[in-house]
Amino acid sequence: MSRRGIFLAAASLLFVSLPLIAQKRNEPPRNQQNQQSAQSRAQEVASRALRKWLDEDVAYIITDEEKSAFKALKTDEEREQFIEQFWLRRDPTPDTIENEFKEDHYSRIAYTNERFQSGKPGWKTDRGRVYILYGKPTEIESHPAGGQYQRPFEEGGGSTSTYPFETWRYRYIEGIGNEVILEFVDPTMSGEYRLTTNPDEKDALLHVDGLGLTLDEELNGGNKGDRITGIGPGAYRGNALGNAPTRNNNQFDRLELMTKVFRPPEIKFKDLETIVTTRLSYNLLPFVFRTDFIRVTEESVLTPVTILIQNKDLAFQEQEGIQRAVVHVYGKVTSINGRVAQVFEDTISQDVPTALFKQTLDNASIHQRIIPLRPGLYKLDLVLKDINSGNVGTINQRLAVPRYPDEKLSLSSLILADTIENLPNTQIASGSFILGSTKVRPNVKEEFKRERPLNLWFQVYNLKLDEATRKPSATVEMLISRNGQEVTKTVEQATDLSSAAAQMTLAKSLALNEFEPGEYTVQIKVTDNLSKEIIASTEKFAVR
């Protein structure tokens, strides 16, 4: 090739290469490209993790307001700050490094994913959701294979066959109440248990004619279709023998419970500054109570509400050699239409000499308020606050005040009491523990020590009077049994009862020093010898 040809070829090659060289100069180095790509992927992963935090990590505990605020944020930096504040608002000890609420929350998620998965992650199941919200139940009754099942009385009694199911009992859930019972059923036999508001959902024989009947359906010819449709006289679960349905078996109460269980828990510490400076306490003040019913007229019933608090659960403060605890009591009785029937406020105080303080911690403080009510269905709210510690205890209880019709044999509540004392005429009045001419202090826990007697108090109403003597003729039987076996039985005739009216008040005492520790049942049966009517009442008690 000539020199001129070589020159032209070189020039052509240079002309073609110049754009490529310029392009190379404008491109970032390969390492820089890889770094930018990695940063982009990391940002995408971070953004996805933030979205996952909202949709999975805190799906059950975040409020609607917080969710809306989170979605309105524009940058990941803002979202990360939101998350930090989210956990801090729920931290019970914000002045420490650990956030116990957060740690407990994620440990619950891990537990549910391990124990409750069934074709879907455990946290997505109903059991997982409840466990994440409220933690481990106080008690679990599990029937993993279903099968033969004897219904309890409140579910109508009778025998049937069930799908796998579990019953969870929580002693207390803040914002819901005491004794929260939740039932989960696996009707598909797939391992996925669903929270149900219908006790019949576990009944595998519900739609099989003639099988799996309740006691009412067996004895009285009740219609199983009423249970299925939820209407008619057999629709109520606790109506096995004609009794009123219980709170847990009311359809509307069950729906209300479902709504409360699945809503996000309230934020206890909304104001961070308040949390840090005052260290609010939300400890529960435990207490037990009982209600009894004493007939006044057909349209009026005395309702003693008796409250028991253990001294060890109270906060005492010393003042001049005296340890004092003070509890304020607020009670409200509301009818089903929302009208307030009764409101009361009382104070329980306990004064103990400092020298005897330790010995009295095993004792208890008992208080009673007797309120008159008309027969009907009510809601009872009780709130107790320990003034020294600020601890609060609350209950929300269905209160069914019975009607005692004229001309029908009936019994008051059977009260198991620590003490029963006849009062002199000068002391007969109204007040705590006073029923007519007798002071009756109920044993709220229904537990008795062997060295103390079992005392019983009750009234019988509308006994028929003999036309000649104007006195009733009745037989009263008291039967004590254990595990279905008779322990002792007494029978008392009308001649032993000093009464000349259609109403009798009876008080009995039974020594327990020969009773073995355990659970017992006492049954009182009254037979009107003139009308031949029979009525009975049963209570359980324990000997410790």
Side-chain angles (χ1 to χ4, degrees):
M1 181 180 296
S2 64
R3 289 183 178 179
R4 187 170 180 273
I6 294 174
F7 175 78
L8 289 175
S12 300
L13 182 60
L14 179 61
F15 180 78
V16 173
S17 301
L18 282 174
L20 295 176
I21 293 173
Q23 181 179 350
K24 290 289 185 180
R25 286 177 179 175
N26 292 332
E27 288 183 356
R30 182 171 299 275
N31 289 341
Q32 186 176 351
Q33 281 185 313
N34 293 340
Q35 184 177 3
Q36 291 175 345
S37 178
Q39 289 176 347
S40 177
R41 285 195 301 270
Q43 290 176 351
E44 183 179 350
V45 170
S47 296
R48 190 161 53 245
L50 292 175
R51 292 193 297 271
K52 177 178 177 291
W53 177 86
L54 178 66
D55 298 333
E56 297 184 17
D57 292 28
V58 298
Y60 302 145
I61 64 173
I62 192 169
T63 66
D64 291 339
E65 294 80 4
E66 289 175 318
K67 186 181 296 184
S68 299
F70 184 86
K71 290 181 177 179
L73 299 177
K74 303 300 183 182
T75 67
D76 287 348
E77 182 179 359
E78 291 176 339
R79 297 184 184 98
E80 289 170 355
Q81 291 177 353
F82 177 95
I83 292 174
E84 182 180 351
Q85 294 297 315
F86 175 90
W87 292 119
L88 187 57
R89 280 195 295 275
R90 290 160 172 81
D91 187 358
T93 56
D95 53 352
T96 63
I97 297 176
E98 295 80 10
N99 187 327
E100 295 84 356
F101 181 93
K102 180 180 179 181
E103 293 174 0
D104 187 44
H105 177 73
Y106 279 105
S107 67
R108 292 180 185 183
I109 293 177
Y111 181 91
T112 61
N113 287 336
E114 179 181 348
R115 298 297 183 93
F116 302 141
Q117 59 176 331
S118 56
K120 64 172 66 172
W123 72 270
K124 287 188 174 183
T125 66
D126 283 357
R127 287 186 300 173
R129 182 172 184 173
V130 171
Y131 190 93
I132 289 170
L133 284 169
Y134 306 112
K136 183 179 179 181
T138 306
E139 180 182 353
I140 296 179
E141 179 186 335
S142 181
H143 301 264
Q148 194 67 21
Y149 177 65
Q150 188 69 32
R151 293 188 192 90
F153 182 82
E154 60 268 17
E155 291 186 7
S159 179
T160 189
S161 183
T162 70
Y163 299 113
F165 74 96
E166 287 186 356
T167 302
W168 289 14
R169 180 180 74 87
Y170 287 90
R171 187 179 69 84
Y172 176 80
I173 295 179
E174 188 168 345
I176 298 179
N178 291 311
E179 292 301 313
V180 180
I181 309 297
L182 305 175
E183 190 168 81
F184 303 86
V185 181
D186 178 17
T188 61
M189 310 286 284
S190 64
E192 182 181 346
Y193 290 72
R194 298 199 304 264
L195 180 63
T196 178
T197 60
N198 182 5
D200 281 323
E201 188 166 341
K202 63 177 175 292
D203 192 343
L205 302 179
L206 180 62
H207 300 282
V208 180
D209 291 337
L211 296 179
L213 302 179
T214 65
L215 289 180
D216 178 65
E217 293 161 354
E218 289 180 4
L219 301 179
N220 302 323
N223 185 4
K224 184 190 285 190
D226 290 343
R227 284 196 285 142
I228 299 174
T229 60
I231 60 176
Y236 292 113
R237 311 293 310 139
N239 206 22
L241 297 175
N243 293 287
T246 62
R247 181 179 188 274
N248 287 340
N249 294 325
N250 181 284
Q251 180 181 4
F252 297 104
D253 285 333
R254 295 197 304 268
L255 291 173
E256 181 185 8
L257 176 61
M258 176 80 82
T259 302
K260 289 182 177 179
V261 164
F262 278 164
R263 70 186 180 195
E266 291 186 4
I267 304 172
K268 295 181 180 179
F269 309 110
K270 297 182 178 180
D271 187 338
L272 297 181
E273 182 177 355
T274 302
I275 300 171
V276 176
T277 57
T278 66
R279 297 300 305 277
L280 298 178
S281 172
Y282 283 79
N283 295 328
L284 174 68
L285 175 63
F287 68 94
V288 292
F289 78 102
R290 65 172 287 142
T291 54
D292 296 293
F293 306 104
I294 316 297
R295 183 186 191 271
V296 179
T297 68
E298 185 175 1
E299 292 298 324
S300 179
V301 178
L302 290 182
T303 306
V305 180
T306 311
I307 300 168
L308 183 76
I309 314 172
Q310 296 296 326
N311 287 350
K312 63 182 180 180
D313 295 322
L314 298 175
F316 287 81
Q317 288 186 356
E318 184 176 8
Q319 295 178 354
E320 299 179 353
I322 299 295
Q323 296 282 348
R324 161 167 280 205
V326 179
V327 176
H328 286 176
V329 179
Y330 174 82
K332 182 171 72 171
V333 180
T334 312
S335 63
I336 57 175
N337 61 8
R339 179 176 298 176
V340 177
Q342 287 284 343
V343 173
F344 59 91
E345 295 179 284
D346 293 323
T347 297
I348 304 174
S349 61
Q350 183 76 286
D351 291 334
V352 181
T354 300
L356 303 176
F357 178 61
K358 290 186 178 180
Q359 296 94 304
T360 60
L361 286 179
D362 291 333
N363 297 338
S365 299
I366 188 168
H367 177 77
Q368 186 181 84
R369 169 61 78 99
I370 301 178
I371 53 178
L373 293 170
R374 291 171 57 88
L377 185 62
Y378 300 89
K379 182 181 72 170
L380 171 64
D381 291 286
L382 285 176
V383 180
L384 274 65
K385 181 176 182 179
D386 188 325
I387 300 305
N388 292 335
S389 68
N391 292 346
V392 175
T394 64
I395 66 96
N396 177 288
Q397 177 76 31
R398 178 181 182 271
L399 185 65
V401 179
R403 179 180 297 277
Y404 296 102
D406 292 334
E407 309 302 329
K408 182 179 180 181
L409 185 66
S410 54
L411 289 174
S412 71
S413 295
L414 177 57
I415 301 178
L416 279 59
D418 286 324
T419 59
I420 297 178
E421 301 175 9
N422 291 323
L423 300 176
N425 292 336
T426 56
Q427 295 186 24
I428 295 177
S430 61
S432 294
F433 311 119
I434 297 177
L435 300 174
S437 62
T438 310
K439 181 177 181 180
V440 182
R441 194 177 73 183
N443 185 309
V444 181
K445 299 179 70 175
E446 297 180 341
E447 294 181 352
F448 295 83
K449 295 182 179 180
R450 296 176 67 183
E451 59 269 21
R452 299 293 299 276
L454 167 68
N455 301 291
L456 297 100
W457 185 96
F458 61 98
Q459 289 183 334
V460 187
Y461 309 118
N462 301 320
L463 286 163
K464 187 174 182 180
L465 299 180
D466 184 271
E467 293 183 359
T469 64
R470 302 306 297 169
K471 289 188 177 183
S473 176
T475 302
V476 179
E477 299 180 13
M478 181 175 68
L479 174 65
I480 307 291
S481 60
R482 184 182 184 189
N483 298 327
Q485 301 296 317
E486 179 181 320
V487 176
T488 182
K489 181 178 180 180
T490 62
V491 180
E492 192 174 44
Q493 297 300 325
T495 53
D496 299 325
L497 305 173
S498 57
S499 177
Q503 174 177 308
M504 290 182 180
T505 299
L506 296 103
K508 297 185 176 295
S509 182
L510 178 68
L512 299 175
N513 53 335
E514 295 184 1
F515 279 56
E516 294 295 326
E519 308 291 329
Y520 292 84
T521 299
V522 55
Q523 181 189 64
I524 295 293
K525 183 169 73 172
V526 178
T527 302
D528 188 331
N529 295 330
L530 298 178
S531 68
K532 305 305 180 184
E533 287 186 89
I534 299 175
I535 192 167
S537 181
T538 301
E539 286 286 346
K540 295 184 181 295
F541 69 95
V543 176
R544 303 302 183 197

